[in-house]
Amino acid sequence: MDDFEQSQAEKRTLRHGYRSLLADATVRKKEYLADSELLLSDLERANGLFGDVCSTAEGVLDSRFLLLSADVGAQRAHMLRIDSAAFDSLAFIENARAILYGSDADAMQMSGTLPAWATIGTVALSMSRVAPRLAHAYGPLSVEPRERRRTEGVRRQTANGPTSSAHIETMGTEDVRRQENQTTRLVQKVHRILAERGPINLFRLVINPQSFAQSIENIFYVSFLIRDGRAYIDDDSGQPMIEACEPPQQQDYQSGLAKKQLIFTLDQPTWQEIIDVYGIRESVIPQRRSVRDEQGMSQISSQVPV
């Protein structure tokens, strides 16, 4: 079903189903470890709900349940017992050292004896059906280097003489300093807007429905605020909510505060989908004007005075 055909009531019902599933999964986390059938039953619930997912908001809730179930699966694998005995990692290491150094592994290791990696490799090979690769076969045995032919470009001539070549503008030290100062001013402006608006959805803050390029720039400016601890993102509600805050002090990090980073990817189809899903009609961060240079190229807005 297309996202545009899904009504708001259907979306609310779907989100309610996911939140109910997440609440049950959080309570049953210990029960999952003892009863795999219960986990499979909730996974079937999630699969049924996922069939109606058409937007990123509901997809986020589905991914949260998948992360929780993957964590449970990892804990069950760690608790897995083979031949009625738990896997003993210490015993495994001791057996490996016995193969590498012999019966008196401690003495042989202290004396500087090289470990017998070939022997342990032979033991590991007997447990695998994968054919060993030839580590030395990095390429053909004989290679004849190909000569690169240099061809001089033919300059187009006009009636009045040769055409003028494209001029590539280089940035000097003063241009770089000016652009850095302009970026700093824009970051401060975004911080003032965020402080005045209070908690707001991240997409509603950064997305500019009239300009994909400026949406990318807004994310760039917000990333400075997150890096410096002047804003933070909270997704406990299932939506990325951003709010201005005071930068943490050194004692906050000593008390256990940790920074978390993520990679934000945004392409034009996703940008358009966010605009449609959230009904964004105007940009919270004011649109910046652009200026065209002598060649008709548009400058990025961080180079345009505000």
Side-chain angles (χ1 to χ4, degrees):
M1 180 169 55
D2 191 5
D3 182 33
F4 296 101
E5 299 177 359
Q6 193 174 35
S7 65
Q8 292 296 328
E10 291 173 330
K11 290 182 180 180
R12 283 194 294 269
T13 302
L14 184 58
R15 293 173 188 173
H16 179 269
Y18 267 117
R19 292 192 177 98
S20 176
L21 176 61
L22 287 170
D24 293 343
T26 303
V27 174
R28 298 174 181 172
K29 195 168 183 180
K30 292 184 179 180
E31 298 179 23
Y32 287 155
L33 299 176
D35 186 2
S36 59
E37 294 297 330
L38 184 59
L39 177 59
L40 291 175
S41 175
D42 283 348
L43 283 172
E44 291 178 358
R45 286 176 58 190
N47 288 336
L49 292 171
F50 185 73
D52 296 329
V53 171
C54 296
S55 63
T56 54
E58 290 76 29
V60 169
L61 296 175
D62 184 77
S63 64
R64 290 179 63 185
F65 176 75
L66 287 180
L67 288 174
L68 189 147
S69 59
D71 182 56
V72 172
Q75 294 184 37
R76 286 184 60 85
H78 184 71
M79 296 168 58
L80 184 65
R81 293 178 176 271
I82 303 175
D83 294 335
S84 300
F87 177 75
D88 191 345
S89 58
L90 295 178
F92 175 80
I93 294 174
E94 289 300 323
N95 291 334
R97 291 180 69 241
I99 297 175
L100 289 171
Y101 295 102
S103 57
D104 193 0
D106 292 333
M108 298 296 289
Q109 191 172 6
M110 292 296 295
S111 64
T113 303
L114 295 177
W117 290 111
T119 303
I120 202 169
T122 304
V123 175
L125 185 62
S126 64
M127 307 297 176
S128 174
R129 295 182 180 180
V130 180
R133 64 184 180 88
L134 297 176
H136 62 276
Y138 292 122
L141 298 179
S142 62
V143 178
E144 294 182 0
R146 297 176 59 184
E147 295 183 359
R148 296 181 60 186
R149 296 181 180 178
R150 296 184 177 181
T151 57
E152 295 184 0
V154 179
R155 298 182 179 179
R156 297 181 180 180
Q157 303 291 330
T158 62
N160 297 328
T163 58
S164 59
S165 58
H167 174 68
I168 300 177
E169 184 178 356
T170 59
M171 296 182 63
T173 305
E174 186 63 29
D175 297 326
V176 174
R177 186 181 298 108
R178 188 184 307 112
Q179 183 174 349
E180 290 177 350
N181 294 337
Q182 182 68 14
T183 300
T184 301
R185 286 195 294 271
L186 287 169
V187 171
Q188 293 174 350
K189 184 176 182 180
V190 172
H191 183 262
R192 288 196 301 270
I193 294 173
L194 186 58
E196 293 171 358
R197 295 294 296 262
I200 185 174
N201 187 287
L202 175 64
F203 298 133
R204 295 187 181 276
L205 174 69
V206 300
I207 295 299
N208 185 332
Q210 279 76 42
S211 173
F212 171 72
Q214 290 201 15
S215 299
I216 298 296
E217 292 177 13
N218 292 340
I219 296 172
F220 174 69
Y221 301 140
V222 169
S223 68
F224 282 97
L225 299 178
I226 300 296
R227 183 201 64 180
D228 297 339
R230 301 173 64 191
Y232 72 96
I233 298 175
D234 183 9
D235 61 350
D236 290 341
S237 62
Q239 293 290 330
M241 303 299 295
I242 184 170
E243 184 177 4
C245 64
E246 293 295 329
Q249 304 299 322
Q250 189 63 33
Q251 56 267 25
D252 297 326
Y253 294 111
Q254 294 175 356
S255 301
L257 179 64
K259 288 185 177 180
K260 294 182 181 180
Q261 297 180 347
L262 55 86
I263 299 176
F264 194 103
T265 303
L266 182 67
D267 53 17
Q268 281 196 292
T270 306
W271 169 72
Q272 187 62 53
E273 182 179 4
I274 293 174
I275 294 174
D276 297 333
V277 170
Y278 288 91
I280 301 175
R281 297 294 175 262
E282 61 179 353
S283 177
V284 174
I285 300 175
Q287 174 122 356
R288 298 174 291 278
R289 63 187 181 90
S290 59
V291 174
R292 295 187 178 273
D293 56 18
E294 297 178 355
Q295 283 76 30
M297 301 298 291
S298 176
Q299 297 182 9
I300 61 175
S301 45
S302 62
Q303 295 176 339
V304 179
V306 292

